[in-house]
Coordinates of all heavy atoms in Angstrom, one line a residue:
Y288 N -18.8 -0.2 -13.6 CA -19.7 -0.3 -12.5 C -19.0 0.2 -11.2 O -18.9 -0.5 -10.2 CB -20.2 -1.7 -12.2 CG -20.7 -2.4 -13.5 CD1 -20.0 -3.4 -14.1 CD2 -21.9 -1.9 -14.0 CE1 -20.5 -3.9 -15.3 CE2 -22.4 -2.5 -15.2 CZ -21.7 -3.5 -15.8 OH -22.2 -4.1 -16.9
P289 N -18.6 1.5 -11.1 CA -17.8 2.0 -10.0 C -18.5 1.9 -8.7 O -17.8 1.8 -7.7 CB -17.6 3.5 -10.4 CG -18.6 3.8 -11.5 CD -18.8 2.5 -12.2
L290 N -19.8 1.9 -8.6 CA -20.5 1.8 -7.3 C -20.3 0.5 -6.6 O -20.5 0.3 -5.4 CB -22.0 2.1 -7.5 CG -22.4 3.6 -7.7 CD1 -23.9 3.7 -7.9 CD2 -22.0 4.4 -6.4
Y291 N -19.9 -0.5 -7.4 CA -19.8 -1.9 -6.8 C -18.4 -2.4 -6.8 O -18.1 -3.5 -6.6 CB -20.7 -2.8 -7.6 CG -22.1 -2.4 -7.7 CD1 -22.6 -1.8 -8.8 CD2 -22.9 -2.5 -6.6 CE1 -23.9 -1.3 -8.8 CE2 -24.2 -2.1 -6.6 CZ -24.7 -1.5 -7.7 OH -26.0 -1.0 -7.8
L292 N -17.4 -1.4 -6.9 CA -16.0 -1.8 -6.9 C -15.5 -1.9 -5.4 O -16.3 -2.0 -4.5 CB -15.2 -0.8 -7.6 CG -15.5 -0.8 -9.1 CD1 -14.7 0.4 -9.8 CD2 -15.0 -2.1 -9.8
D293 N -14.2 -1.9 -5.3 CA -13.5 -1.9 -4.1 C -13.9 -3.2 -3.2 O -14.2 -3.1 -2.1 CB -13.8 -0.7 -3.2 CG -12.7 -0.3 -2.3 OD1 -11.6 -1.0 -2.3 OD2 -12.8 0.6 -1.5
S294 N -13.8 -4.3 -3.9 CA -14.0 -5.6 -3.2 C -13.0 -5.9 -2.2 O -13.1 -6.7 -1.3 CB -14.1 -6.7 -4.2 OG -12.9 -6.8 -4.9
H295 N -11.8 -5.1 -2.2 CA -10.7 -5.4 -1.3 C -11.0 -4.6 0.0 O -10.2 -4.7 1.0 CB -9.4 -5.0 -1.9 CG -9.0 -5.8 -3.1 ND1 -8.4 -7.0 -2.9 CD2 -9.3 -5.7 -4.4 CE1 -8.2 -7.6 -4.1 NE2 -8.8 -6.8 -5.0
N296 N -12.0 -3.7 0.0 CA -12.3 -3.0 1.2 C -13.8 -2.8 1.3 O -14.3 -1.9 0.6 CB -11.6 -1.6 1.2 CG -11.7 -0.9 2.6 OD1 -12.7 -1.1 3.3 ND2 -10.7 -0.1 2.9
K297 N -14.5 -3.7 2.0 CA -15.9 -3.7 1.9 C -16.6 -2.8 3.0 O -17.8 -3.0 3.3 CB -16.4 -5.1 2.1 CG -15.9 -6.0 0.9 CD -16.4 -7.4 1.0 CE -15.9 -8.3 -0.1 NZ -16.3 -9.7 -0.1
K298 N -15.8 -1.9 3.6 CA -16.4 -1.1 4.6 C -17.5 -0.2 4.1 O -17.4 0.4 3.0 CB -15.3 -0.2 5.2 CG -14.3 -0.9 6.1 CD -13.3 0.1 6.7 CE -12.3 -0.6 7.6 NZ -11.3 0.3 8.1
Y299 N -18.6 -0.2 4.8 CA -19.7 0.7 4.4 C -19.4 2.1 4.2 O -19.8 2.8 3.3 CB -20.9 0.5 5.4 CG -22.0 1.4 5.1 CD1 -22.9 1.2 4.0 CD2 -22.2 2.6 5.8 CE1 -24.0 2.0 3.7 CE2 -23.3 3.5 5.5 CZ -24.2 3.2 4.5 OH -25.2 4.0 4.2
S300 N -18.5 2.6 5.1 CA -18.1 4.0 5.1 C -17.4 4.4 3.7 O -17.6 5.4 3.2 CB -17.1 4.3 6.2 OG -16.0 3.5 6.1
R301 N -16.6 3.4 3.2 CA -16.0 3.7 1.9 C -17.0 3.8 0.8 O -16.9 4.6 -0.1 CB -15.0 2.6 1.6 CG -13.9 2.4 2.7 CD -12.6 3.0 2.4 NE -12.0 2.7 1.1 CZ -11.1 3.5 0.6 NH1 -10.7 4.6 1.3 NH2 -10.6 3.3 -0.6
K302 N -18.0 2.9 0.8 CA -19.0 2.9 -0.2 C -19.9 4.1 -0.1 O -20.3 4.7 -1.2 CB -19.9 1.6 -0.1 CG -19.1 0.3 -0.4 CD -20.0 -0.9 -0.4 CE -19.2 -2.1 -0.7 NZ -20.0 -3.4 -0.7
L303 N -20.1 4.6 1.1 CA -20.8 5.8 1.3 C -20.1 7.0 0.7 O -20.6 7.9 0.0 CB -21.1 6.1 2.7 CG -21.8 7.4 3.1 CD1 -23.1 7.5 2.4 CD2 -21.9 7.6 4.6

Side-chain angles (χ1 to χ4, degrees):
Y288 309 109
L290 284 176
Y291 304 100
L292 292 175
D293 209 3
S294 60
H295 296 272
N296 190 331
K297 298 180 180 179
K298 290 182 179 179
Y299 173 77
S300 60
R301 304 257 316 157
K302 292 183 178 181
L303 174 61

